[in-house]
Structures are given as C-alpha cells and as structure tokens.
Amino acid sequence: MDTRSYVCPNCGAPMEFDSGLQKMHCSHCENTMTVDEIENYYRELDRQYDHESTLTEEDDVDGVFEETAGTGDFKVYRCQGCGAEILTEEHTAATFCSFCGRPSMMEDRLTGQLMPSVLIPFKIKKEGATEFYTAWSKKGLLTPSKLKSQATIEKITGIYVPFWLYDYNAEIQVSAKCTRTRSETRGDYRYVHTDHFMAERDIETEYLKIPVDASEKMPDDVMDKLEPFSYSDLTGFEMAFLSGYYAEKYNYDSNQMAPRAENRVRQYVYQAAMNTINGYSSVTVVNRHTKLGRRCVKYALLPVWILNYKYKNKDYMFAMNGQTGKIVADRPISTGKMAGWFSGILLGIFTVLQLIGRFLI
C-alpha cells in the first residue's frame, strides 16, 4: 500500500506544513500554499487519474504486508518518493521515509472511523522547540552535559498525539453543615458564639472539549500537565497538516477513555459547587449527588514536541505543548557535577575557616 505525501506543484519537491507560516511550504523553490489549496489540488488529481483502484494480488505482495516483530505488530508501506519500504508500528499514522526523508502519511490509518474530526496545528517550529529545550536545560546547574549536546537536541520530535474531546452536561446537589463563629469580650470573660447552618446547592452546567489522551505511549500525567490547549486554533482535519510531523492513531476508543473524562468533570462540578459555599468557619459535606450526561465526543490530534532520553539507565521525557510552549519535563542530576559542587563548597568553607583562624591568632 502506498503512503500519501505532498509534493510541490511547481518543482516536485516535498512540501511540509510550516507552523510559522501556517501554510504548506516547499524548501526547494519556496512555494507556499494553504492547506485548503493543496488539498483541493490533490482532490482534482484524484478525480483526473481515478486513484481509487483495487489492489491486485501482485500489488498486495509488493506494497504492504503485516508481520509481528518483538512486542508489536508492524506494517510495511511503500514511499511515493523513492519506492523504499517504510516499516511502521501499527498505531503510526504519519512518519518519514528513512531513505529519502520524505514525509509520509498512512492513509488507511486516517480514514473512516480512524479519521480525526479536528486538529490543532503546530504553532511552534522545530527551531523554536530546540530553543525552548536549550533554555530549559541551561537552567539546571547540575543537568548532565549529555542533555545539552547537539546530538541530543536534534532528537526532539513533533508528534500529533491522539485525544478524545468530550462534551458533558453536569448536575450536582450538595448538602453541607456549616458553622460561623464570632467572639466578644465582656469584662474578664471572652465569649465564643457558634451559629449552625445547612447549605444546599443544586448546580447545572456544561463542560466542553474535555481532553483525554488516547495514546498508550504518552504518560497520562504528562499530557494532562501540558494543558490547556487554546481551542481558538481548532480546525477541521486535513491530512496536509501532518506533513513534516509524526502522528499516531488512538490506542483506546472513546468508551474506554470516558471514565477519565467523567472523573474530571465530577471534580470540576464539585469544585464549582464548593466555591459558592463561602464565608463560613467550617464546611462539612454530608451529601452530594452528581449526574452526568455525555453530549458528544470528537477525535482530535493535538501538537506536542517530545524528547526521550536515558540517563543512568533511567528514562526521562521532555514534553512541550506545540501550540503554547508549556513545558513538562524531568531533570536528571549529574552525580559528577554534584560531587564537584560539594567539593567546591567544602573547599570554600575550609578556606574561610583558615582565614578566620589566622585572624584570631
């Protein structure tokens, strides 16, 4: 099976989505096209050449086959640029040809039920992502030098991560025993008065586009901390947005991830109710009932810059929101640099003590 890649109508070189221009860009002749323009161009080509043909048995053997290697299922595609075979994991939706470097999209993983409804395009280019990472790594005085090397920095990768976006109606009833205390002094005595109240709250609200990542590879806590994404940039899915980036299709469907979304909505609506019970000395919730109703769910791809690295046989991840630049990362500590710092501190203390001793003598 062939992959989908975008080539410049002017010179035939690969075109990639430029996050700075928010357009498709050819680095060879500097031609630019909007995503709509290039998609319309390819739709016209499809109509002219009728690419919707059934694979013959020979095509099936030469073009795509499935195999199991290690712990995952793999599929082989054929690069449209050089004809080389591209080996991908079963959940990869966009990648690069390792021979010619051409961006390649696996169309069969982006159609039908696997087609995302919406997407937020990358706003931060790779050059910007590497600048963010370099600045972050320099802030840690004990950061291992390996993390600051150019070889490590170049491994940073832009990935469209699969998310489910949920809309919920939420209703909550809360009952709470509350107290309010006041005190007064009469003569030699101090009197404390405690008033008791029963607070009742019945709140109805809605929560739109609650994001839950559906990738097995991405740690949930990291993806949660990369929020918020600005939905003002949310746009309808077009395959051209993926050109120049990696992308994955979801590992878990919307029903499997719904409990995570519902747990978040329950927390949100409960906090909204509790925020209305204020001005009391104490609040004790005695009863609460939450009712949720899912309105809809959309499959979305959201932009994330990722750099995975290993230090002292331990895995670390640098993750950055590809739209806002928010960073979530673990910073390992170099034992060698730590030893050097302690040695320097001890030497400084020893020198000061010597000077004090000479002064006292």
Side-chain angles (χ1 to χ4, degrees), residues 257-360:
M257 302 310 297
R260 282 197 64 214
E262 292 173 2
N263 184 55
R264 293 181 67 171
V265 173
R266 285 191 176 90
Q267 294 178 21
Y268 295 156
V269 70
Y270 176 68
Q271 191 58 53
M274 296 306 294
N275 287 341
T276 68
I277 305 176
N278 45 48
Y280 297 101
S281 303
S282 69
V283 176
T284 302
V285 175
V286 294
N287 183 49
R288 67 172 172 173
H289 176 70
T290 306
K291 182 180 179 181
L292 304 182
R294 190 201 298 184
R295 293 173 51 184
C296 69
V297 57
K298 291 184 178 180
Y299 177 28
L301 296 180
L302 304 184
V304 178
W305 286 101
I306 294 289
L307 178 59
N308 292 303
Y309 48 89
K310 186 181 291 289
Y311 181 73
K312 299 293 185 182
N313 296 319
K314 185 177 179 181
D315 294 323
Y316 293 89
M317 173 183 283
F318 171 91
M320 188 179 78
N321 186 313
Q323 179 196 35
T324 67
K326 183 179 181 180
I327 292 173
V328 178
D330 296 323
R331 193 192 305 275
I333 295 176
S334 170
T335 52
K337 288 187 176 182
M338 181 181 290
W341 271 89
F342 277 117
S343 298
I345 293 172
L346 291 175
L347 180 60
I349 294 174
F350 179 74
T351 302
V352 171
L353 291 176
Q354 279 189 320
L355 291 173
I356 293 174
R358 290 177 183 175
F359 177 78
L360 293 176

